[in-house]
Amino acid sequence: MLNIQKPEPFDRESGAALSAHSIFPTIQGEGPFTGHTCIFLRLAGCNLQCPHCDTEYTSGRQSMTMAQLVSRISSVLHEHPRMRLIVITGGEPLRQDLAPLCTNLVHAFPNVKIQIESNGVLGLRRLEPLVFSGKVHLVVSPKTSRIHADTAMFAHTFKYVLSHDSVNPKDGLPMTALGHKASPHVARPPAGWIGQIYVNPMDAKDPLENERNIQAAV
């Protein structure tokens, strides 16, 4: 079944409150922190509509203040005291202003890593100092052919969703990701960028296709 959640515009609010979908403990399954226990803060809404996205990020949303968000995250950390990672995801987290939240989290939990996972289309707004300092780890997972220049350059990691029938033989990276249109192909890291690149197989909801996608990623 294809994703029918409608794309949502850039949110121009100050970030004093955020539209959140869910907050829950889990294990990071992709990218540089694979295998780490973590808290997922899933924010509501996305600026894209990727046909093969399998994530629910629209229904059940609620507006939460900084105090409410920090309190909920603090409760989860209290229940799981060995956790050292907060993942801010979506949807598309950079659709909203994350600077106030990340500033609060860095001060409240200095020994916990913060990861933002973005499709890279939107800019960082006021996040550059936190990302540049390494206090916030930015993972860009492109779905389109163009991504924001600042977001791309500040990214610590690029992560690609790979399907076996859409691999560029020149570099092993996908031509398209999650069925979203990209011409001539999904964006690559910018010239001069130094960092890690990860690939993970797309979940096609079909065992044979998934095996092919795994082998393509390998």
Side-chain angles (χ1 to χ4, degrees):
M1 188 168 130
L2 296 181
N3 175 32
I4 58 172
Q5 298 170 98
K6 294 182 178 179
E8 299 183 32
F10 184 77
D11 189 330
R12 299 187 181 279
E13 296 299 319
S14 66
L18 297 176
S19 180
H21 175 275
S22 51
I23 302 173
F24 55 95
T26 186
I27 296 174
Q28 176 60 288
E30 302 172 354
F33 301 113
T34 297
H36 290 228
T37 55
C38 63
I39 302 168
F40 258 44
L41 166 56
R42 189 176 301 287
L43 296 179
C46 187
N47 60 311
L48 302 179
Q49 185 185 50
C50 297
H52 297 302
C53 178
D54 61 358
T55 301
E56 167 57 56
Y57 51 78
T58 300
S59 65
R61 69 176 69 197
Q62 57 180 315
S63 179
M64 299 183 70
T65 65
M66 288 301 104
Q68 290 172 322
L69 287 165
V70 173
S71 177
R72 284 280 300 277
I73 290 170
S74 180
S75 295
V76 178
L77 284 174
H78 181 73
E79 294 172 6
H80 303 272
R82 298 180 69 178
M83 277 188 180
R84 293 294 182 267
L85 178 64
I86 300 168
V87 177
I88 305 174
T89 184
E92 172 48 50
L94 292 183
R95 194 182 67 82
Q96 304 182 72
D97 186 352
L98 298 185
L101 172 64
C102 288
T103 299
N104 274 276
L105 293 178
V106 165
H107 289 146
F109 312 112
N111 296 320
V112 177
K113 296 176 182 177
I114 300 169
Q115 175 194 337
I116 295 173
E117 180 162 332
S118 170
N119 60 42
V121 171
L122 303 173
L124 295 176
R125 295 199 244 202
R126 298 174 289 159
L127 275 174
E128 286 91 342
L130 290 174
V131 174
F132 183 75
S133 69
K135 293 179 179 178
V136 172
H137 190 102
L138 177 62
V139 176
V140 172
S141 183
K143 310 297 188 298
T144 60
S145 57
R146 291 181 177 84
I147 51 182
H148 195 284
D150 290 345
T151 304
M153 189 57 71
F154 276 93
H156 297 100
T157 302
F158 272 75
K159 180 172 68 67
Y160 291 91
V161 182
L162 198 67
S163 59
H164 70 91
D165 56 353
S166 183
V167 180
N168 187 333
K170 293 182 179 179
D171 61 10
L173 297 179
M175 299 297 291
T176 61
L178 296 181
H180 198 283
K181 292 180 180 179
S183 179
H185 51 62
V186 171
R188 280 18 181 185
W193 181 85
I194 298 174
Q196 293 177 312
I197 298 175
Y198 288 79
V199 295
N200 58 277
M202 186 182 82
D203 183 3
K205 307 301 181 185
D206 177 274
L208 293 178
E209 286 294 292
N210 282 351
E211 180 60 29
R212 294 186 183 103
N213 292 343
I214 290 170
Q215 291 306 314
V218 171

